[in-house]
Structure formats: structure tokens, C-alpha cells
Amino acid sequence: MQTTEPVVNLQVAQNLGLNAEEYERIIEIMGRQPNFTELSIFSVMWSEHCSYKNSIKYLKTLPRDGARLLVGAGEENAGLVDIGGGLACAFKIESHNHPSAIEPFQGAATGVGGIHRDIFTMGARPIAALKSLRYGNVDLARTKHLVEGVVSGIGHYGNCFGVPTVGGEVYFNDCYNQNILVNAMSVGIVKVGETVSAVADGPGNPVLIVGSATGKDGIHGATFASADLTEDSAEDLPAVQVGDPFQEKLLLEASLEAIKTGAIVGMQDMGAAGITCSTSEMSAKSGTGMLIHLDQVPTRQANMKPFEILLSESQERMLIVAEKGKEHLLYDIFDKWDLECEHIGEVTDTGRLVFMENGEVVADVPADPLVLGGGAPVYDREFQEPSYRADLAAFDASTIAEPSDLVATARQIFASPNVASKRWIYEQYDSMVRTNTMSTNRPSDAAIVRVKGSNKALAVTTDCNSSYVKADPYVGTMIAVAEAARNIVCSGGEPVAITNCLNFGNPYNPEVYWQFVHAIKGMGAACRRFNTPVTGGNVSFYNQSVFENQTEPVNPTPTIGMLGILDDAEMQMTLDFKEEDDQIYILGATREDLNSSVYLQEVHGVALSPVPHFDLEEEFALQAVVKKLIQNELIVSAHDVSEGGIFVCLAESAMAGNRGFKVSTRPGMRTDAFLFGESQSRVIVSVKKARETSFLNLMAQRDVECTKLGEVFGKNLIIDDRDFGPLLDWRNIYDHSLGQRLEAS
Amino acid sequence: MKFGVVVFPGSNCDDDMIHVLGTVLQREVVELWHKQESLEGFTTDDCIVLPGGFSYGDYLRAGAIARFSPLMKAVIDFAHRGGYVFGICNGFQILCEAELLPGALLRNSHQRFTCKNTFLKTVTNQSPITAGISPGRVLKIPIAHAEGRYHADEATLQQLRDNDQVLFQYCQADGTVDAAANPNGTAWNIAGICNAQRNVFGMMPHPERASEERLGNVDGRLLFDSLLQNRMASATQ
């Protein structure tokens, strides 16, 4: 069917998501009325996703420098950290929330594909992946459907692509009932000096498109649903991309092989906004331009319109600027891997992107004004403290009754979806391919991935308890950073840098923006204290659900993906109890603090309460002492106290070591608060009796509280001389509760 | 004994296998691209490994396309001449598709991909990869597959048992072979088999993922050690 592109006016611009002010600026930049294709280019490049227009002002306040950083935040497709020995680690986390909520299988699958492409487009080989997932109420049919779809989508893509999923987190909370969060992190290794930049240097150099043909998938359905825009039916334009992990595996191997030829000047994968984004970002970075022949782009359908080719988010594609005269080296390699590689244009010195079709110019736009850091708009939104914060002050823990049956309460917590093992989910991911996963057989708080060809290992983790962040975005986000660092330190690693995935509601809602601004402040404060600069990441706004006809934003969820290094992989610290009679201590002060605990939420139905106790300096001192204890080989296990409190922490160490324990609570403190409270900055360690004096001597020199809880003992859990039952029973609850709940109809 | 590891498009355990054979065990390993047509340089004293992964994306059926790769013709001929061929996971699936091993690998009974440590009972030492392992010994070796449910008709299964061709069965940590230890609904808890001539062997679990102290598990090395020692023994005879 022959259709014509609409005449451009303000209404059309608004349908494409631009506001009146932005539309005026585009006319000013162009010096004329843009045509529809040009307007489409501006609309996607100035979208929140590409331009960060509502967040960049605050993101720039984060610490983004450090001795180990080889590229600055936002400079390349992912952060790059020097890990020593001539090696660097490229890592990044990204969201794929909305596609996953619409079509969980493909949404999650393409999220995985996209983040890995960001890593290997830099020349790094992905060696590990982590998944941070947030779902709604576990008992809803919709949640079960989304869990099933997302998990099989992640598995489908990651397992075939051949990169292990080594860690991550899964939370269930009603606030995500409609809008789930799917955040995927990829970690890759590259030799320093062998990376590839997303640049378009050298006018005259050929521009190649490699990989899958370009189809109509991923062109945002909502934007094009209006009949004013096109007479094609919206059903023709699937909003969610379809992934092909086999194609991506070929693209990975071929790209890494192609880099070795030295014939690649620059390379960028095609993700959001497809050809538009890669051509404009590469050109803007080099101060060059490009002349692109859209009719040379291999397409899946006949008669695709210029804007469709430009905006398509078809997966598994790369844009390469080759060195003129050496293209044949690249053609040979892509041919070996049976991948399509087409010459579609040239780098120019005009600073403009000129797109041609059948000899006619269909769009001619300047590159720089399109991109972040160039001419893309930057906004400062209004913010206002959310009204729910007043309710927090009214919370009174003394109204919470102590449980009459501690064992039953402990079981309830243990079986709850935010505490129980996520085995049902993670066993569907290949966690061991590439044979680097050290934490499979020796579990640690962070996942440990050895780096072949060196004696090093990486410690990687994702963390964010969004209930804490909702209660207090500033402190809650500091806790997310602190917990990530604590997990790495407890695993024997040194935290070095973070990537973040900032999942929030609508930025035009002042209360949401207040959460965002304060979360960023907290993240900055914590990252500065731990010397873990931000290497990049992703902002996902507009995450919200409708409740009783009211739109509610999801909990503010600034997921932290942290990278740590073990210079000697042998220094890994594990979390399992090792031997009978080992002495169990808790480091850090335990306070009578029930705030925002799983216990309050699960057992007492208190959805919102203040953030648990946290002090940045206390945390820093705790982590320093744990590092020292590991260095001096004074402890044999370390596990941080998090959701579910001391009880869950002890039980996890017990199950991992297949050994029970005998411990005491603290007289004068509520037993529920002692066992299930989640006050921060605490680690449970076990110590050989023979090393106990040395351990205590070291602790005596430190300003970190150190309390003996008991000892590793037998095969049962014994608290205050009461037998809570055999480890085996607890393991059954832990291992199977979530699966049973997800499979229940 | 020299090893050749075949790389199909979509293989993803090829690097792991080359790492274990070359770096860990210090053996000569040659990477073989699936488009090559001959196994020049290999004798029947050598071993060709078909590694795990998703050859051709597992499209159509796991292993169904890979078995038509140019190199597979040479591998089939090599096996018929008595050369050693070892298929792991996707490699096992390809060997069944190529009819170098009997039976087929179907989708797991629970319909899901599953990756975890499993325990394997060594059923026989009458094969090159189990020759150095006492029958009954339990090994911890991980699996990672969606299509690992071994299936064959009753007569074939009986023949496998009669000929002592079942190499490994999934079991509990204590060696008990029961339904609870069966991770995918596989017939007779079968995890690995060999052909009647005992020169072609396939298994779903990944011994290359359990061959290094740094990874906390060296049970898988026993298979490679057996293969190498077995060869050495026959070479000195």
C-alpha cells in the first residue's frame, strides 16, 4: 500500500513525543521546516532514552573519575576499568522494563542481547551477566506469567549466546504489579589498548552495516499508532524487538575477529533508535558527518520507508567505519561467519548526516545538535517531597507485637519470596559456561568470576532494596551502594566502580523527581566514600502502575551494579560455615530496629516504614575491618546481614556449609528485632578457635562492634537453647517455597 | 593423543574444552572449523571432540543441522575407522543425530532449560573415558541443557544395558539411582553412553566445567585422565 508521509506541524511533532519548545528549536537548528523523516530523527534522539534530558543535570554530579577508569562515564558504550596486568573490564547495566512488561519473553531476551552488544562493540568479550529483576505480587497470575516469560527469555538468549548469568537479584513487591523491572548487566574483558571506539574518523572511510537485516520491529508502536501519521496499521509495527541469540553469537565472534585485522576505525551497535543513533553519535564524537544510502541497507520487508529504516530497532546489527582500502579484510571475516555486511555510505567532513534513497536526499540534519552533550535539550524539573513521607514519621515500632511462636515466624520469613532461594529462576540460566564461575562450588556474597590468563578474579553484584529507597531515597540509595560494596568485600574483593540502572516513575511528577534527585545525592555520597566512581548506566523513567484508577509510580529503584577485583583469586572469601566448633561473631552494631524489614512487611503487613539505621562512616569502618580480617586469614566465612536479618544470614551460611549452629540472642533487646531486624552495616563471620585470640586482638584495635553469637554446631539450628529444627527442613523450605508458589495455580 | 575440537557456528563450550585440554592438561589441541572437509593430520589414535553449545542456534532440533556440516562427513568416517569421538551436551545431540550413537535427546520432561551440579554414578569402566574410574564411583559434574532427556526404544535400551554401553547414570550424592535424582526425565537415568565399538562416547553433563581446583571441582578431570591413560596403556602394549 502506497502511503505518504504527513506534512510536518506542531501536532505531528507532539505525536512524536516532542513539545512545542523543542519543535521550535528544531526549526531554528534546521533553519527551515524539517520534513517528517528529519523530525523523526530529532524525536528519537531527543527522547528521554537517548538524550537523558531530564536526568543528565543530576547525573553529572556523580563522581565519575578515578585512577582506574580508562574512559569517562558516557564517553563510550560502557565503562572501562583497568584491572591490572594489561587487562580492562568493560561493564554496564541497562533496563528493558517496558518491552518486558508487554512481551516478557522477547522483551527480556533482547534486553540481554542489547547489553552484551554494548560490551563487545568495545572489543571486550563478555564473560559474565547479572540480572536484577522486580516483579509484582507473587500470587498474581499476571506475575507468574511475567516471571515465566522473562526467565525463559533471559535463558533463551543468554544460554545460547554462551555467557553465564552468575548473579543478580529478584524482588517481589506490589508496586511492580503492572510495571516490572528487568535490568541486565554484562561484564567483559579486553586487553588494554585493544578496545574499539564508537567514532567515525576519517572522511572518505566507508560505513558498513553488519548482521541482521533491518525490519519493522522496534519502531515504537505508540508513536505511530495515530492514523494521522500513516495509513499503515499499527499492528504492522511490533513495538517489541525480536531477538536471535544465534545471530548475536556469530556477530560477537566475527566482530572480535574483525577487530584483530586493524581495519576497523570505529564501531557501534544498534540499539535504541537504530541507525539514527549510531550514525549521529559516531559522527558527533568525531566532528564528522556521514552520507548514507538507505537503499543499500538490507531490509526484511520490501518498501520500507526511510523513517522506518532509520528508526528500526532490529537486533543484532553493528555499524562499522572501516579504514578505506581495507574493507575486504572485514568482508572476508563476516563472510566466514555467514553474516551480511553491506557498504552503505561514507564518512564526510560536513558535520551533517545526509540520508539518501534512490538518489534523492530524504533527510539532511546536523549531527551534533542531536546528541547528548551536543545540542540535545537539558531540563531541570520541579521536585517536591512526597506526601507519604509524613506517614513514615508516624510509624511506632512499639505497636508491633512480638510473635508468640518464633519458629513459625522464622519459617514464614524464610519461605517469603524475597528471602527464599531464587533457585527456580536461576537454574534456568547457564551459570557456568566459559568455566570461570568460582562461586558455583564456593558461594560468596558476590559472584566470583576468574579472569583466564591472569591470577585475578572479578567480584560482581547488583543490589537495591527499593523499600529502603522509597522510605528515604537519600539513605536508601547509600545503602544500595554500601550493600554492593559489602558483598564484594565479604567475598575478598576490592570494590572499584559501579554502573547504575535508575528505574523511576514519571519525571514530570514532582514527587518522583524528588525521589530521583535525592537518590542521586545518596549515590554520589556513598560512591565518593567507597571510591567507586560511576562508569555509566541507564535511566528508565515512566515506570508506573495503575491502582484503583490512580497512577502510582514504582518504588524508586536505583539498581547498583558493582565491580570488584581480587588481585589473587585465591583470596576469595566464602559464606558457608566450615567446621564444627568454629566460633560465630557478628561485626557491626545490632540495633533494635524493625524498619522496612521483610519481617514487618511479611509478618505484620506493614508495607511502608522508615529506612533502617545506616551510617556511612560506620559502614566504611566495617568494610575496612572485614578486608583486614580476610587479608590476615583470621576468618573462614563472611556473610553480610541483609533481608531477613541475622536469622536468615546464619541459616544461609549453615545451609551452604551443611552445618548447624548454636547461638544466643541479646538480653534486653526484642528477640524479633535481634533476629529479623535489618539495621545495616553488619557481617556475620566464623573464626577457627585457634585463631580466635588473634581475631579478638585485631577487633579490639578497631572501632567496630564485635559480638559473639555462638558456634557452628551439629545439624540443627539452635537459638537460645531452643531447637528450631534440622537444617534439612529449613533447606526444603528455602529451596522450594518460591517454585511452589510460582507453580501454584 | 592429539585432540581436535570442532567449532560449529553457535558452539559455545569450544573455548572451555580447548582451555581444559590445552592449558590445564597440556595436550595438543587443534581448533577445527566446521567448514573444513577433512581431518588431515589426525590418526585414529587421536580424539575429536564435539563441544557443547547451540550449533546453528539449535534451530529445527538440537544438533539436526550441525550433523550436515562439511566436517561431520569426515568425523563420521573417522569414527567408522575407529577414531575416538567425544560429544558433550550439544556434541552428544549431534552424535545421536549423526547416528554415531543410538537414540535421541528430547526436551527435558519439565520443559525448561536447567543448569546445576548433578551427581553421576559411573556404571562401567569398560570405556576409554571411564577406564580409570571404579564402577559405582559418584562424580559431581554439572549439566546445562534444555534437551537432555535420553530416549531410545526398549530394544535399544536393553541392548545398551546388555552391552555395558551406559557409562553414567544420574544419582543422589550417595550413589542411589532414583527418580528424584533424574534431572530431566531421561530413560533409565542415563547421562552418557558409548557405541558398541566403544570409540564414540556422548554425555549431557559437562566434565570440562569440573576440571580445575580453582573452580572447586575436579571430578570431570577423571574422564580426561582416563582417556589419556587408556591411550598410553594401549600405546605401550
Side-chain angles (χ1 to χ4, degrees):
Chain A
M1 178 169 53
Q2 199 60 36
T3 56
T4 51
E5 290 175 1
V7 176
V8 168
N9 56 35
L10 178 59
Q11 181 60 48
V12 171
Q14 283 172 337
N15 285 341
L16 289 172
L18 293 160
N19 63 30
E21 189 193 334
E22 288 166 346
Y23 179 55
E24 285 306 315
R25 265 186 70 189
I26 292 166
I27 292 174
E28 199 182 305
I29 288 165
M30 295 290 292
R32 62 175 166 82
Q33 190 88 356
N35 66 30
F36 180 74
T37 303
E38 291 162 342
L39 189 68
S40 299
I41 291 172
F42 274 94
S43 80
V44 290
M45 289 307 295
W46 286 9
S47 71
E48 190 67 50
H49 193 92
C50 293
S51 73
Y52 293 82
K53 60 189 171 190
N54 287 312
S55 57
I56 189 66
K57 183 187 162 196
Y58 289 94
L59 297 180
K60 281 187 168 170
T61 66
L62 291 168
R64 304 200 289 178
D65 297 309
R68 285 180 182 268
L69 298 201
L70 297 174
V71 303
E75 274 178 32
E76 294 287 351
N77 282 288
L80 193 67
V81 172
D82 190 342
I83 63 166
L87 297 172
C89 175
F91 73 113
K92 189 185 182 186
I93 191 166
E94 203 164 70
S95 65
H96 231 215
N97 303 337
H98 294 130
S100 303
I102 298 165
E103 209 294 85
F105 182 88
Q106 289 296 346
T110 53
V112 173
I115 193 63
H116 283 315
R117 233 164 18 252
D118 274 340
I119 300 303
F120 72 80
T121 195
M122 294 176 71
R125 178 180 281 282
I127 64 164
L130 295 93
K131 306 291 150 48
S132 176
L133 310 176
R134 303 285 185 296
Y135 298 104
N137 188 313
V138 69
D139 296 320
L140 293 179
R142 174 177 164 79
T143 299
K144 292 173 186 177
H145 159 73
L146 290 172
V147 172
E148 175 81 42
V150 166
V151 172
S152 52
I154 290 171
H156 163 74
Y157 208 101
N159 299 343
C160 177
F161 185 57
V163 174
T165 297
V166 299
E169 48 182 349
V170 183
Y171 284 93
F172 297 86
N173 187 303
D174 290 2
C175 76
Y176 305 112
N177 275 353
Q178 278 154 40
N179 196 137
I180 61 171
L181 303 182
V182 175
N183 296 177
M185 173 167 157
S186 175
V187 181
I189 291 287
V190 59
K191 282 188 184 152
V192 175
E194 294 188 4
T195 51
V196 174
S197 257
V199 293
D201 291 343
N205 277 334
V207 179
L208 314 177
I209 190 167
V210 178
S212 296
T214 298
K216 292 190 179 184
D217 51 334
I219 303 172
H220 202 284
T223 313
F224 295 95
S226 164
D228 291 332
L229 296 177
T230 161
E231 288 171 3
D232 285 331
S233 153
E235 281 81 42
D236 290 340
L237 306 173
V240 180
Q241 312 90 313
V242 176
D244 180 349
F246 173 59
Q247 192 78 0
E248 175 120 323
K249 170 69 174 167
L250 302 184
L251 194 58
L252 162 74
E253 298 301 338
S255 298
L256 295 184
E257 205 170 312
I259 289 166
K260 289 190 186 141
T261 63
I264 293 182
V265 172
M267 179 158 74
Q268 180 162 350
D269 71 306
M270 271 168 277
I275 294 176
T276 301
C277 187
S278 44
T279 52
S280 54
E281 287 187 356
M282 291 174 84
S283 299
K285 189 173 284 179
S286 293
T288 55
M290 284 186 193
L291 175 69
I292 301 290
H293 300 278
L294 294 176
D295 42 18
Q296 301 297 313
V297 175
T299 54
R300 289 180 201 166
Q301 287 114 318
N303 301 321
M304 277 181 72
K305 280 181 267 305
F307 79 84
E308 292 174 328
I309 297 174
L310 283 167
L311 268 55
S312 163
E313 294 186 0
S314 286
Q315 299 289 292
E316 295 94 26
R317 297 180 299 160
M318 286 279 187
L319 197 73
I320 291 177
V321 172
E323 192 179 322
K324 195 176 170 67
K326 290 190 178 173
E327 307 91 302
H328 63 281
L329 296 174
L330 303 179
Y331 294 146
D332 288 349
I333 287 170
F334 290 110
D335 186 54
K336 171 190 165 187
W337 289 96
D338 299 323
L339 286 169
E340 226 170 339
C341 175
E342 281 297 326
H343 180 180
I344 60 166
E346 266 77 37
V347 177
T348 65
D349 59 4
T350 62
R352 299 186 75 83
L353 303 174
V354 179
F355 297 103
M356 315 265 297
E357 192 172 61
N358 303 322
E360 278 180 40
V361 173
V362 293
D364 180 350
V365 293
D368 196 58
L370 293 172
V371 303
L372 167 68
V378 175
Y379 298 128
D380 189 8
R381 304 246 78 93
E382 284 173 32
F383 54 86
Q384 175 194 320
E385 182 163 1
S387 52
Y388 67 79
R389 298 255 304 160
D391 305 337
L392 291 171
F395 175 74
D396 178 5
S398 69
T399 63
I400 303 295
E402 284 210 53
S404 53
D405 182 348
L406 262 185
V407 177
T409 301
R411 278 174 190 265
Q412 192 182 346
I413 290 169
F414 219 53
S416 69
N418 290 335
V419 167
S421 169
K422 310 302 182 288
R423 171 182 303 266
W424 188 92
I425 290 170
Y426 70 71
E427 283 184 350
Q428 296 187 53
Y429 309 144
D430 192 332
S431 55
M432 306 179 211
V433 62
R434 301 210 67 77
T435 60
N436 296 318
T437 315
M438 292 168 59
S439 37
T440 302
N441 295 308
R442 297 189 179 118
S444 290
D445 276 1
I448 307 294
V449 182
R450 65 106 174 252
V451 180
K452 284 195 183 119
S454 80
N455 199 34
K456 295 171 190 297
L458 305 178
V460 282
T461 181
T462 64
D463 289 284
C464 180
N465 181 320
S466 70
S467 296
Y468 300 172
V469 183
K470 181 169 186 186
D472 189 326
Y474 178 73
V475 175
T477 308
M478 284 203 290
I479 291 176
V481 176
E483 183 176 357
R486 202 188 306 141
N487 283 333
I488 286 170
V489 165
C490 284
S491 309
E494 178 68 31
V496 295
I498 74 156
T499 173
N500 56 29
C501 197
L502 307 170
N503 309 274
F504 287 82
N506 186 329
Y508 293 83
N509 173 342
E511 296 195 345
V512 167
Y513 210 64
W514 187 91
Q515 294 172 330
F516 176 75
V517 169
H518 286 80
I520 295 297
K521 283 185 182 166
M523 187 180 303
C527 285
R528 270 183 277 273
R529 191 66 186 100
F530 297 116
N531 194 21
T532 52
V534 180
T535 62
N538 163 239
V539 179
S540 172
F541 283 129
Y542 308 101
N543 294 291
Q544 53 203 13
S545 295
V546 179
F547 277 109
E548 292 160 2
N549 298 325
Q550 271 203 315
T551 304
E552 283 283 334
V554 299
N555 279 358
T557 314
T559 307
I560 305 298
M562 192 178 278
L563 174 72
I565 299 173
L566 283 75
D567 280 325
D568 177 0
E570 294 299 318
M571 290 306 285
Q572 182 196 0
M573 177 51 59
T574 49
L575 64 81
D576 52 310
F577 287 150
K578 301 292 181 301
E579 272 188 323
E580 186 93 355
D581 285 342
D582 287 349
Q583 304 297 296
I584 303 171
Y585 283 85
I586 185 165
L587 312 182
T590 297
R591 292 171 167 82
E592 193 171 288
D593 182 353
L594 296 175
N595 287 342
S596 282
S597 60
V598 170
Y599 168 66
L600 266 194
Q601 295 179 8
E602 279 289 323
V603 178
H604 294 281
V606 179
L608 191 66
S609 56
V611 72
H613 171 86
F614 177 77
D615 180 281
L616 193 53
E617 291 310 316
E618 231 179 85
E619 177 77 39
F620 190 78
L622 170 83
Q623 292 188 19
V625 81
V626 172
K627 283 183 209 172
K628 195 79 195 161
L629 289 168
I630 294 172
Q631 273 167 16
N632 292 7
E633 299 182 12
L634 292 174
I635 54 177
V636 292
S637 76
H639 188 17
D640 92 305
V641 179
S642 59
E643 284 84 7
I646 286 177
F647 176 80
V648 170
C649 184
L650 283 168
E652 285 176 345
S653 290
M655 289 184 296
N658 198 23
R659 292 180 184 281
F661 57 77
K662 191 163 71 177
V663 297
S664 311
T665 63
R666 181 175 301 174
M669 184 183 284
R670 291 176 63 145
T671 312
D672 55 353
F674 185 82
L675 287 176
F676 311 125
E678 297 177 16
S679 67
Q680 293 295 297
S681 312
R682 294 179 297 159
V683 171
I684 291 179
V685 300
S686 64
V687 181
K688 289 255 160 281
K689 259 191 171 160
R691 304 287 277 163
E692 198 174 8
T693 313
S694 310
F695 165 81
L696 290 171
N697 285 343
L698 190 146
M699 289 310 298
Q701 297 161 21
R702 299 283 181 139
D703 191 19
V704 173
E705 201 175 299
C706 171
T707 311
K708 189 181 240 183
L709 290 176
E711 60 189 28
V712 179
F713 176 85
K715 295 279 185 187
N716 287 32
L717 313 190
I718 298 167
I719 299 173
D720 291 336
D721 295 326
R722 176 162 179 200
D723 189 353
F724 275 48
L727 194 54
L728 206 62
D729 292 356
W730 289 94
R731 185 196 299 282
N732 269 329
I733 298 171
Y734 187 74
D735 280 353
H736 303 302
S737 292
L738 181 60
Q740 283 162 0
R741 204 126 160 214
L742 285 169
E743 286 178 7
S745 48
Chain B
M1 175 183 273
K2 178 165 83 178
F3 290 91
V5 176
V6 181
V7 182
F8 298 99
S11 292
N12 64 27
C13 304
D14 45 336
D15 287 349
D16 304 352
M17 188 55 79
I18 290 166
H19 169 74
V20 167
L21 296 172
T23 308
V24 179
L25 296 169
Q26 296 285 309
R27 297 290 151 171
E28 187 183 352
V29 192
V30 183
E31 190 178 310
L32 302 168
W33 182 238
H34 73 112
K35 284 182 186 171
Q36 71 186 64
E37 291 185 354
S38 89
L39 283 173
E40 218 180 298
F42 285 88
T43 73
T44 50
D45 286 341
D46 297 326
C47 180
I48 302 300
V49 180
L50 308 188
F54 289 69
S55 57
Y56 295 92
D58 271 359
Y59 294 138
L60 185 60
R61 197 170 63 235
I65 304 176
R67 73 134 0 285
F68 292 109
S69 267
L71 186 58
M72 276 309 289
K73 221 179 212 168
V75 171
I76 291 168
D77 178 59
F78 177 80
H80 287 154
R81 286 188 287 118
Y84 295 98
V85 181
F86 189 3
I88 290 155
C89 200
N90 193 224
F92 185 15
Q93 293 161 341
I94 296 167
L95 289 176
C96 290
E97 288 287 341
E99 295 178 5
L100 286 175
L101 290 173
L105 291 146
L106 308 182
R107 196 153 179 83
N108 296 343
S109 51
H110 48 70
Q111 303 296 313
R112 288 194 292 270
F113 183 96
T114 186
C115 173
K116 61 182 181 185
N117 272 323
T118 56
F119 293 101
L120 306 181
K121 182 178 150 183
T122 313
V123 180
T124 174
N125 60 4
Q126 297 301 304
S127 88
I129 57 167
T130 56
I133 311 171
S134 319
R137 176 154 177 193
V138 175
L139 309 178
K140 182 169 82 173
I141 298 183
I143 54 168
H145 60 247
E147 294 168 48
R149 175 161 58 105
Y150 185 77
H151 173 83
D153 58 44
E154 270 310 317
T156 306
L157 283 174
Q158 193 56 50
Q159 212 171 13
L160 287 175
R161 276 179 277 189
D162 293 346
N163 292 343
D164 208 12
Q165 285 171 250
V166 176
L167 305 183
F168 300 106
Q169 284 179 295
Y170 297 105
C171 67
Q172 306 281 1
D174 67 2
T176 309
V177 175
D178 60 12
N182 188 331
N184 53 22
T186 185
W188 207 49
N189 280 41
I190 287 173
I193 60 170
C194 67
N195 64 348
Q197 296 72 36
R198 318 193 89 78
N199 65 319
V200 178
F201 12 94
M203 62 191 292
M204 289 313 296
H206 288 267
E208 81 279 12
R209 297 183 180 189
S211 291
E212 292 173 86
E213 185 44 50
R214 178 147 290 181
L215 301 180
N217 185 359
V218 291
D219 283 2
R221 263 184 82 154
L222 293 171
L223 280 70
F224 300 112
D225 288 344
S226 290
L227 186 57
L228 290 162
Q229 282 156 15
N230 183 55
R231 284 310 308 150
M232 284 168 199
S234 60
T236 53
Q237 269 165 17

